[in-house]
Amino acid sequence: MHETRVGEFTLRYATSGDGPVALFLHGFPLDHSMWHAQRAALGDVRTCVAPDLRGFGASAGVTSPILTMEAHARDAVAVLDAVGAEQADVVALSMGGYVALAMWALSPDRIRTLTLMDTRAEADDELARAKRDDAAKHLLEHGRERFSAGMLGSLVGPQASLYARGRVRSMIEGTSYETIVAALAGMKVRADREDLLETITVPALVVCGKQDSITPPPYSRRMAEAIPDARLELVDGAGHMAPLERAEPVNRALRAFWLGESDEAAEETGAADSTSAP
Ligand code: MLT
């Protein structure tokens, strides 16, 4: 892992491959290792840079009681500075998607293309905010094991392999209590980004597992319809963790998107069920 300082904090990130930089932003409460299959498959066309967001993975450490999406977005820009990249193809899952949208709001010039996976633009409503508080209490009362066992069922789809399930549990159980609590607090107050979508002037790819129960396909469909130049890929047999559960079709969709191939070309190579939006 490489590292860069952001103020007092040390952020760590993995890099591999060659070519223009692609920046991979992980979901909650995970770490950069969720992108292992993408880094392994796409290193011939992109330098894959995968940070552990502040507080997570190898960027663990005491942070603050609230980890905002804007703080993560500023860190993501700092990682681009550290690797000398003016711009990146940003690929972001779920909470990473909230961070990517904050990054578009703060530093749109640093984003060459945007891939949003299993995420949404809407802020939390009152019920979702209350659930964040309940989740934090549940974690502190019952511990990470019960918390991760509870989350697993909603993070992965029914067809997820035992390996994918194991990977997800390891990532959750490797995340500190205070980071989980601070990230829940940050997601709870994140801005609504629905109006931002129409300002996204770079090409976008929106990916969603068809069995995603946390951010089901209608969220992705709405995002793909609102972003002026967006392609939508729905992934068969995947839940919320589409790039981990069904890496091959997701990797094919990313490759086709970056290389400017048509949806049909992606489909011919067996990529996901694919529709152009709107
Ligand atoms: C994630 O996968 O990052 C989370 O499910 C996002 C969220 O809780 O809103």
Side-chain angles (χ1 to χ4, degrees):
M1 295 287 274
H2 302 271
E3 59 183 55
T4 188
R5 298 284 289 179
V6 184
E8 295 296 295
F9 200 78
T10 304
L11 266 173
R12 297 198 169 79
Y13 57 94
T15 65
S16 49
D18 274 314
V21 166
L23 180 72
F24 290 87
L25 301 174
H26 62 78
F28 164 86
L30 311 171
D31 61 53
H32 82 283
S33 68
M34 64 155 281
W35 300 112
H36 177 76
Q38 282 66 48
R39 291 177 52 222
L42 298 166
D44 58 327
V45 290
R46 288 294 182 273
T47 301
C48 299
V49 178
D52 280 335
L53 293 172
R54 184 178 287 245
F56 297 87
S59 300
V62 176
T63 53
S64 68
I66 177 162
L67 284 165
T68 65
M69 302 306 107
E70 288 75 16
H72 287 314
R74 282 190 290 274
D75 287 346
V77 170
V79 170
L80 291 188
D81 290 341
V83 299
E86 284 283 313
Q87 286 199 315
D89 297 295
V90 174
V91 182
L93 180 122
S94 200
M95 183 186 77
Y98 311 154
V99 174
L101 291 173
M103 195 176 161
W104 178 263
L106 293 170
S107 307
D109 51 317
R110 307 302 294 269
I111 300 181
R112 185 188 305 115
T113 65
L114 182 58
T115 298
L116 296 168
M117 296 190 182
D118 298 285
T119 189
R120 65 183 147 208
E122 291 85 349
D124 279 7
D125 59 19
E126 239 171 75
L127 181 64
R129 288 192 184 129
K131 281 188 180 168
R132 302 268 186 216
D133 293 338
D134 288 346
K137 285 182 198 143
H138 180 274
L139 167 76
L140 297 177
E141 207 170 312
H142 300 291
R144 267 188 305 216
E145 282 203 16
R146 268 182 67 181
F147 181 81
S148 72
M151 268 198 94
L152 190 63
S154 46
L155 278 173
V156 299
Q159 295 165 54
S161 67
L162 290 176
Y163 175 80
R165 289 165 195 273
R167 204 69 281 295
V168 171
R169 274 202 75 157
S170 292
M171 286 188 280
I172 299 176
E173 289 174 29
T175 306
S176 73
Y177 286 87
E178 65 269 32
T179 289
I180 295 176
V181 168
L184 285 165
M187 288 191 288
K188 177 178 156 183
V189 299
R190 75 183 187 281
D192 189 288
R193 301 293 188 189
E194 287 169 282
D195 290 345
L196 190 76
L197 297 175
E198 66 180 25
T199 74
I200 297 176
T201 46
V202 296
L205 171 66
V206 181
V207 175
C208 187
K210 283 188 178 171
Q211 281 88 45
D212 184 343
S213 62
I214 297 180
T215 48
Y219 287 102
S220 287
R221 208 171 283 287
R222 282 202 290 279
M223 286 194 296
E225 282 170 3
I227 299 173
D229 178 12
R231 179 190 293 196
L232 175 66
E233 301 277 350
L234 297 180
V235 185
D236 271 327
H240 188 63
M241 298 295 302
L244 184 70
E245 294 175 64
R246 300 255 10 247
E248 281 183 26
V250 170
N251 293 347
R252 277 195 293 270
L254 273 172
R255 182 181 290 272
F257 172 59
W258 288 337
L259 301 184
E261 293 169 2
S262 66
D263 289 3
E264 290 71 31
E267 272 190 313
E268 272 164 29
T269 59
D273 178 1
S274 153
T275 13
S276 272

